[in-house]
Each structure stands twice: as C-alpha cells, then as structure tokens.
Amino acid sequence: MWNDNAPDAAPDSGPTDSRPPLPAPGAWRRYFARTLDLLLWGFVVGLAAGVLNTATGTHLLHFGGNRLVATTLAELSLLPIVLFIDAAVCAACGNSVGKALLGVRVTEPDGTRPSFRRYLRRNVSLWARGLAFGVPIARQLTMLISALTLSRGGTTAWDAALGFRVVRERCTVGHYAIAVALLVVLSAAGALANFPHRHPFRVVPLERNAVGIGHGKSLQSSNGALLPIRADDGASRIGNA
C-alpha cells in the first residue's frame, strides 16, 4: 500500500568527488602561472605592435638610445597592458591560460567568478604591491616579500586587502607538459626579440678618396670594409674595396 507519510527520496545529485580538497597553491606555483600569463600576453601585444608598426610606420613600444634602457622602458610600458588583458580574459573565461594549466584559480570569498572590475582592481594592486610597477630590482624585492608573506600568512597583501581567494585545482601531467613547452617557447621568443641583430651589409655614402673612387654608395660589411657599388650598362656589380 502506498504510504503518503513516507519521506521523499533524496534527490540524485550525481557523482561527487570524494577526494580530499587540495591545499592552497604555493608561491612557486603562483609565480610560474603568473609568469606564463605575462609572457603569453606580452608576446601577443608585442606581435600586434610589430605588425602595426610595419603597416603604418609607427614605433609603438620602440625606444631609442641604449639597448638596455630601451628594453626596460618597453617592458614598463607593456606590463599594464598585459595585466589589463589578463583581467579581461579571466573575467570572460573564468581563468587565465597559465593559471588553468598549473591548477590555480582566483575566486570571490563565496567561490564565484570575479567580475572584470574586481579582477582589474586585483591586477592594479598586484602591479603596485607585487610587481613594483615593473621597476627592475624593486620588482624582485617586492616579489620576494610577497612570497614570504604568502608562506607565512597563506595569502598576499593584495588578495587580503580586496578579499580574494586563490584555490588549487587538479591538473594532469599533460597540463604541466603544455605549460613547460609554452614557457620555453615564449622565453626563447623573447630572448630572440631582444638579441642585438647585426646586419652583414648596410648602405653608406661613398666619398671620393685618394685612389679616385667617385661619389656614390657602397656596402659596408660587419667588419667595417667598404664594398663600392658600380653601375655598368644598368647592372650593379660589387667590387672589393
């Protein structure tokens, strides 16, 4: 007989993960996740700037003078752009590439996804309090202080001030392999972009000299030797200087 007073059956909530929760991500995991994101978005922005410079003749993110100073200024200018893109991607997709590959996620205190405005506030605070605006030496010092703060208190200054949680998620060996491959490729691309290229030949004016070579143009090799260009019957020939 049907019993109307019988308790209702508990709803089927589907399979649950009975594994214990993972500990909070440590300083090194968070460092490599952030580094991967900065390298990735820096590469994308640098590539876009290069294409735009080639098409329009502009000099975005290009600074003259000493190569070390020029590279430092470019990195200082690039960092806030990269952090803005990171906030937009995390707000839209729920996580960034580096964090997803290495099992790190930033959430609100209740576990929900932060909005773009909230994530942008976090990245601005990270830019100032965790990266020292990218200024060399100061950046390394603030990163060291942040790592010590995280190890002792379980959170960073910017996450504590804004009320964010950083949780650990499970990832596979494949995730780690992809992360390592991306780190290697992006680091190599950055090193190649900053490598001082020397062209084997360049065009320089050729002045009249003691042996009677007239005005015109020449090619200068990388060792400084002048190779004059002479035109005969419309064809250019290169002779030894």
Side-chain angles (χ1 to χ4, degrees):
M1 176 181 292
W2 182 263
N3 186 1
D4 292 336
N5 296 323
D8 295 334
D12 184 10
S13 59
T16 59
D17 190 351
S18 59
R19 294 175 295 182
L22 295 171
W28 282 113
R29 182 179 295 272
R30 292 177 57 161
Y31 167 78
F32 282 114
R34 183 189 309 125
T35 299
L36 181 53
D37 287 330
L38 294 180
L39 286 175
L40 177 61
W41 302 130
F43 174 79
V44 171
V45 174
L47 184 63
V51 171
L52 188 61
N53 289 342
T54 302
T56 63
T58 55
H59 300 280
L60 298 175
L61 299 176
H62 283 190
F63 299 89
N66 180 272
R67 175 173 292 275
L68 178 61
V69 175
T71 301
T72 301
L73 291 175
E75 291 176 352
L76 291 175
S77 303
L78 193 62
L79 186 56
I81 302 173
V82 167
L83 291 173
F84 180 89
I85 295 174
D86 177 73
V89 170
C90 288
C93 303
N95 211 350
S96 64
V97 176
K99 293 184 183 67
L101 287 174
L102 294 178
V104 179
R105 183 182 295 275
V106 178
T107 71
E108 296 286 5
D110 59 358
T112 58
R113 178 192 303 182
S115 65
F116 169 70
R117 171 179 282 187
R118 285 275 294 163
Y119 217 109
L120 185 60
R121 286 187 63 190
R122 181 182 188 268
N123 277 4
V124 169
S125 184
L126 166 65
W127 182 37
R129 306 175 75 168
L131 299 174
F133 303 104
V135 177
I137 300 179
R139 174 177 178 171
Q140 283 71 30
L141 288 175
T142 54
M143 290 173 63
L144 177 60
I145 294 172
S146 298
L148 293 175
T149 303
L150 177 62
S151 299
R152 294 173 180 174
T155 187
T156 58
W158 52 91
D159 286 329
L162 296 173
F164 284 102
R165 291 179 59 217
V166 180
V167 298
R168 170 94 177 271
E169 295 186 331
R170 301 186 187 279
C171 49
T172 64
V173 175
H175 289 89
Y176 291 122
I178 296 173
V180 171
L182 275 177
L183 279 171
V184 171
V185 170
L186 293 172
S187 298
L192 184 63
N194 292 325
F195 187 79
H197 301 284
R198 294 186 62 188
H199 300 286
F201 300 101
R202 63 187 179 92
V203 177
V204 296
L206 179 64
E207 301 293 339
R208 185 179 298 277
N209 55 29
V211 297
I213 299 178
H215 290 273
K217 290 183 178 180
S218 69
L219 289 179
Q220 185 177 36
S221 66
S222 58
N223 62 6
L226 289 177
L227 307 177
I229 302 176
R230 297 177 297 177
D232 296 328
D233 298 331
S236 297
R237 300 185 303 179
I238 299 178
N240 291 325

PDB file of all heavy atoms in Angstrom, residues 110-127:
ATOM      1  N   ASP A 110      32.964  33.731  -1.751  1.00  0.00           N
ATOM      2  CA  ASP A 110      31.924  32.695  -1.828  1.00  0.00           C
ATOM      3  C   ASP A 110      32.177  31.693  -2.947  1.00  0.00           C
ATOM      4  O   ASP A 110      31.337  30.836  -3.223  1.00  0.00           O
ATOM      5  CB  ASP A 110      30.547  33.340  -2.006  1.00  0.00           C
ATOM      6  CG  ASP A 110      30.464  34.199  -3.262  1.00  0.00           C
ATOM      7  OD1 ASP A 110      31.486  34.321  -3.982  1.00  0.00           O
ATOM      8  OD2 ASP A 110      29.384  34.760  -3.533  1.00  0.00           O
ATOM      9  N   GLY A 111      33.331  31.797  -3.618  1.00  0.00           N
ATOM     10  CA  GLY A 111      33.674  30.847  -4.664  1.00  0.00           C
ATOM     11  C   GLY A 111      33.231  31.226  -6.058  1.00  0.00           C
ATOM     12  O   GLY A 111      33.487  30.478  -7.004  1.00  0.00           O
ATOM     13  N   THR A 112      32.574  32.371  -6.229  1.00  0.00           N
ATOM     14  CA  THR A 112      32.098  32.772  -7.544  1.00  0.00           C
ATOM     15  C   THR A 112      33.214  33.454  -8.344  1.00  0.00           C
ATOM     16  O   THR A 112      34.250  33.845  -7.810  1.00  0.00           O
ATOM     17  CB  THR A 112      30.903  33.732  -7.409  1.00  0.00           C
ATOM     18  OG1 THR A 112      31.307  34.881  -6.635  1.00  0.00           O
ATOM     19  CG2 THR A 112      29.735  33.048  -6.721  1.00  0.00           C
ATOM     20  N   ARG A 113      32.952  33.614  -9.646  1.00  0.00           N
ATOM     21  CA  ARG A 113      33.920  34.229 -10.531  1.00  0.00           C
ATOM     22  C   ARG A 113      33.940  35.746 -10.331  1.00  0.00           C
ATOM     23  O   ARG A 113      32.894  36.383 -10.320  1.00  0.00           O
ATOM     24  CB  ARG A 113      33.567  33.930 -11.987  1.00  0.00           C
ATOM     25  CG  ARG A 113      34.491  34.567 -13.000  1.00  0.00           C
ATOM     26  CD  ARG A 113      33.935  34.479 -14.416  1.00  0.00           C
ATOM     27  NE  ARG A 113      33.663  33.094 -14.802  1.00  0.00           N
ATOM     28  CZ  ARG A 113      33.216  32.755 -16.011  1.00  0.00           C
ATOM     29  NH1 ARG A 113      32.961  33.702 -16.913  1.00  0.00           N
ATOM     30  NH2 ARG A 113      32.994  31.482 -16.294  1.00  0.00           N
ATOM     31  N   PRO A 114      35.100  36.369 -10.178  1.00  0.00           N
ATOM     32  CA  PRO A 114      35.159  37.830 -10.040  1.00  0.00           C
ATOM     33  C   PRO A 114      34.742  38.527 -11.327  1.00  0.00           C
ATOM     34  O   PRO A 114      34.952  38.016 -12.430  1.00  0.00           O
ATOM     35  CB  PRO A 114      36.636  38.108  -9.721  1.00  0.00           C
ATOM     36  CG  PRO A 114      37.197  36.794  -9.268  1.00  0.00           C
ATOM     37  CD  PRO A 114      36.426  35.749  -9.999  1.00  0.00           C
ATOM     38  N   SER A 115      34.145  39.687 -11.175  1.00  0.00           N
ATOM     39  CA  SER A 115      33.793  40.496 -12.335  1.00  0.00           C
ATOM     40  C   SER A 115      35.044  41.132 -12.921  1.00  0.00           C
ATOM     41  O   SER A 115      36.125  41.110 -12.319  1.00  0.00           O
ATOM     42  CB  SER A 115      32.800  41.586 -11.931  1.00  0.00           C
ATOM     43  OG  SER A 115      33.422  42.500 -11.024  1.00  0.00           O
ATOM     44  N   PHE A 116      34.896  41.728 -14.109  1.00  0.00           N
ATOM     45  CA  PHE A 116      36.043  42.383 -14.742  1.00  0.00           C
ATOM     46  C   PHE A 116      36.568  43.519 -13.875  1.00  0.00           C
ATOM     47  O   PHE A 116      37.784  43.672 -13.701  1.00  0.00           O
ATOM     48  CB  PHE A 116      35.647  42.915 -16.124  1.00  0.00           C
ATOM     49  CG  PHE A 116      36.690  43.813 -16.726  1.00  0.00           C
ATOM     50  CD1 PHE A 116      37.902  43.298 -17.164  1.00  0.00           C
ATOM     51  CD2 PHE A 116      36.465  45.183 -16.841  1.00  0.00           C
ATOM     52  CE1 PHE A 116      38.879  44.130 -17.722  1.00  0.00           C
ATOM     53  CE2 PHE A 116      37.423  46.008 -17.394  1.00  0.00           C
ATOM     54  CZ  PHE A 116      38.634  45.475 -17.833  1.00  0.00           C
ATOM     55  N   ARG A 117      35.665  44.313 -13.322  1.00  0.00           N
ATOM     56  CA  ARG A 117      36.108  45.437 -12.482  1.00  0.00           C
ATOM     57  C   ARG A 117      36.873  44.935 -11.272  1.00  0.00           C
ATOM     58  O   ARG A 117      37.911  45.501 -10.913  1.00  0.00           O
ATOM     59  CB  ARG A 117      34.897  46.267 -12.041  1.00  0.00           C
ATOM     60  CG  ARG A 117      35.250  47.322 -11.002  1.00  0.00           C
ATOM     61  CD  ARG A 117      34.049  48.148 -10.585  1.00  0.00           C
ATOM     62  NE  ARG A 117      33.731  49.154 -11.580  1.00  0.00           N
ATOM     63  CZ  ARG A 117      32.822  50.101 -11.414  1.00  0.00           C
ATOM     64  NH1 ARG A 117      32.107  50.129 -10.288  1.00  0.00           N
ATOM     65  NH2 ARG A 117      32.593  50.985 -12.344  1.00  0.00           N
ATOM     66  N   ARG A 118      36.373  43.881 -10.630  1.00  0.00           N
ATOM     67  CA  ARG A 118      37.058  43.329  -9.455  1.00  0.00           C
ATOM     68  C   ARG A 118      38.425  42.753  -9.828  1.00  0.00           C
ATOM     69  O   ARG A 118      39.415  42.967  -9.130  1.00  0.00           O
ATOM     70  CB  ARG A 118      36.176  42.247  -8.824  1.00  0.00           C
ATOM     71  CG  ARG A 118      34.998  42.794  -8.048  1.00  0.00           C
ATOM     72  CD  ARG A 118      35.374  43.140  -6.629  1.00  0.00           C
ATOM     73  NE  ARG A 118      35.731  41.951  -5.846  1.00  0.00           N
ATOM     74  CZ  ARG A 118      36.392  41.996  -4.710  1.00  0.00           C
ATOM     75  NH1 ARG A 118      36.821  43.161  -4.229  1.00  0.00           N
ATOM     76  NH2 ARG A 118      36.665  40.878  -4.039  1.00  0.00           N
ATOM     77  N   TYR A 119      38.461  42.018 -10.939  1.00  0.00           N
ATOM     78  CA  TYR A 119      39.735  41.430 -11.328  1.00  0.00           C
ATOM     79  C   TYR A 119      40.723  42.513 -11.756  1.00  0.00           C
ATOM     80  O   TYR A 119      41.934  42.396 -11.511  1.00  0.00           O
ATOM     81  CB  TYR A 119      39.537  40.429 -12.468  1.00  0.00           C
ATOM     82  CG  TYR A 119      40.444  39.231 -12.340  1.00  0.00           C
ATOM     83  CD1 TYR A 119      39.950  37.985 -11.998  1.00  0.00           C
ATOM     84  CD2 TYR A 119      41.817  39.351 -12.540  1.00  0.00           C
ATOM     85  CE1 TYR A 119      40.785  36.885 -11.860  1.00  0.00           C
ATOM     86  CE2 TYR A 119      42.658  38.263 -12.399  1.00  0.00           C
ATOM     87  CZ  TYR A 119      42.134  37.042 -12.065  1.00  0.00           C
ATOM     88  OH  TYR A 119      42.983  35.976 -11.919  1.00  0.00           O
ATOM     89  N   LEU A 120      40.226  43.571 -12.386  1.00  0.00           N
ATOM     90  CA  LEU A 120      41.115  44.655 -12.763  1.00  0.00           C
ATOM     91  C   LEU A 120      41.680  45.341 -11.528  1.00  0.00           C
ATOM     92  O   LEU A 120      42.873  45.697 -11.491  1.00  0.00           O
ATOM     93  CB  LEU A 120      40.366  45.663 -13.645  1.00  0.00           C
ATOM     94  CG  LEU A 120      41.212  46.802 -14.221  1.00  0.00           C
ATOM     95  CD1 LEU A 120      42.333  46.252 -15.093  1.00  0.00           C
ATOM     96  CD2 LEU A 120      40.336  47.757 -15.019  1.00  0.00           C
ATOM     97  N   ARG A 121      40.859  45.515 -10.490  1.00  0.00           N
ATOM     98  CA  ARG A 121      41.354  46.086  -9.234  1.00  0.00           C
ATOM     99  C   ARG A 121      42.434  45.198  -8.632  1.00  0.00           C
ATOM    100  O   ARG A 121      43.441  45.695  -8.119  1.00  0.00           O
ATOM    101  CB  ARG A 121      40.198  46.244  -8.233  1.00  0.00           C
ATOM    102  CG  ARG A 121      39.243  47.385  -8.523  1.00  0.00           C
ATOM    103  CD  ARG A 121      38.248  47.548  -7.394  1.00  0.00           C
ATOM    104  NE  ARG A 121      38.923  47.900  -6.143  1.00  0.00           N
ATOM    105  CZ  ARG A 121      38.322  47.911  -4.952  1.00  0.00           C
ATOM    106  NH1 ARG A 121      37.043  47.571  -4.860  1.00  0.00           N
ATOM    107  NH2 ARG A 121      38.997  48.243  -3.873  1.00  0.00           N
ATOM    108  N   ARG A 122      42.231  43.897  -8.715  1.00  0.00           N
ATOM    109  CA  ARG A 122      43.250  42.976  -8.198  1.00  0.00           C
ATOM    110  C   ARG A 122      44.560  43.127  -8.959  1.00  0.00           C
ATOM    111  O   ARG A 122      45.639  43.170  -8.372  1.00  0.00           O
ATOM    112  CB  ARG A 122      42.748  41.538  -8.283  1.00  0.00           C
ATOM    113  CG  ARG A 122      43.756  40.522  -7.740  1.00  0.00           C
ATOM    114  CD  ARG A 122      43.236  39.100  -7.883  1.00  0.00           C
ATOM    115  NE  ARG A 122      44.132  38.169  -7.191  1.00  0.00           N
ATOM    116  CZ  ARG A 122      45.157  37.545  -7.767  1.00  0.00           C
ATOM    117  NH1 ARG A 122      45.429  37.758  -9.048  1.00  0.00           N
ATOM    118  NH2 ARG A 122      45.928  36.731  -7.064  1.00  0.00           N
ATOM    119  N   ASN A 123      44.472  43.200 -10.295  1.00  0.00           N
ATOM    120  CA  ASN A 123      45.686  43.298 -11.089  1.00  0.00           C
ATOM    121  C   ASN A 123      46.386  44.641 -10.914  1.00  0.00           C
ATOM    122  O   ASN A 123      47.618  44.716 -10.978  1.00  0.00           O
ATOM    123  CB  ASN A 123      45.368  43.055 -12.568  1.00  0.00           C
ATOM    124  CG  ASN A 123      45.303  41.575 -12.903  1.00  0.00           C
ATOM    125  OD1 ASN A 123      45.419  40.730 -12.019  1.00  0.00           O
ATOM    126  ND2 ASN A 123      45.119  41.263 -14.170  1.00  0.00           N
ATOM    127  N   VAL A 124      45.625  45.706 -10.695  1.00  0.00           N
ATOM    128  CA  VAL A 124      46.247  47.002 -10.410  1.00  0.00           C
ATOM    129  C   VAL A 124      46.995  46.939  -9.079  1.00  0.00           C
ATOM    130  O   VAL A 124      48.117  47.451  -8.950  1.00  0.00           O
ATOM    131  CB  VAL A 124      45.193  48.125 -10.401  1.00  0.00           C
ATOM    132  CG1 VAL A 124      45.783  49.423  -9.851  1.00  0.00           C
ATOM    133  CG2 VAL A 124      44.656  48.354 -11.806  1.00  0.00           C
ATOM    134  N   SER A 125      46.376  46.305  -8.072  1.00  0.00           N
ATOM    135  CA  SER A 125      47.048  46.149  -6.779  1.00  0.00           C
ATOM    136  C   SER A 125      48.264  45.245  -6.905  1.00  0.00           C
ATOM    137  O   SER A 125      49.312  45.501  -6.298  1.00  0.00           O
ATOM    138  CB  SER A 125      46.065  45.572  -5.756  1.00  0.00           C
ATOM    139  OG  SER A 125      46.658  45.488  -4.479  1.00  0.00           O
ATOM    140  N   LEU A 126      48.146  44.183  -7.712  1.00  0.00           N
ATOM    141  CA  LEU A 126      49.289  43.309  -7.972  1.00  0.00           C
ATOM    142  C   LEU A 126      50.405  44.082  -8.666  1.00  0.00           C
ATOM    143  O   LEU A 126      51.591  43.904  -8.342  1.00  0.00           O
ATOM    144  CB  LEU A 126      48.834  42.135  -8.842  1.00  0.00           C
ATOM    145  CG  LEU A 126      49.930  41.300  -9.502  1.00  0.00           C
ATOM    146  CD1 LEU A 126      50.774  40.587  -8.462  1.00  0.00           C
ATOM    147  CD2 LEU A 126      49.319  40.294 -10.478  1.00  0.00           C
ATOM    148  N   TRP A 127      50.052  44.921  -9.635  1.00  0.00           N
ATOM    149  CA  TRP A 127      51.025  45.734 -10.362  1.00  0.00           C
ATOM    150  C   TRP A 127      51.834  46.609  -9.407  1.00  0.00           C
ATOM    151  O   TRP A 127      53.051  46.727  -9.534  1.00  0.00           O
ATOM    152  CB  TRP A 127      50.273  46.575 -11.387  1.00  0.00           C
ATOM    153  CG  TRP A 127      51.108  47.450 -12.264  1.00  0.00           C
ATOM    154  CD1 TRP A 127      52.347  47.173 -12.788  1.00  0.00           C
ATOM    155  CD2 TRP A 127      50.753  48.747 -12.752  1.00  0.00           C
ATOM    156  NE1 TRP A 127      52.784  48.217 -13.572  1.00  0.00           N
ATOM    157  CE2 TRP A 127      51.820  49.192 -13.553  1.00  0.00           C
ATOM    158  CE3 TRP A 127      49.632  49.559 -12.589  1.00  0.00           C
ATOM    159  CZ2 TRP A 127      51.798  50.433 -14.196  1.00  0.00           C
ATOM    160  CZ3 TRP A 127      49.607  50.790 -13.240  1.00  0.00           C
ATOM    161  CH2 TRP A 127      50.677  51.216 -14.026  1.00  0.00           C
TER     162      TRP A 127
END
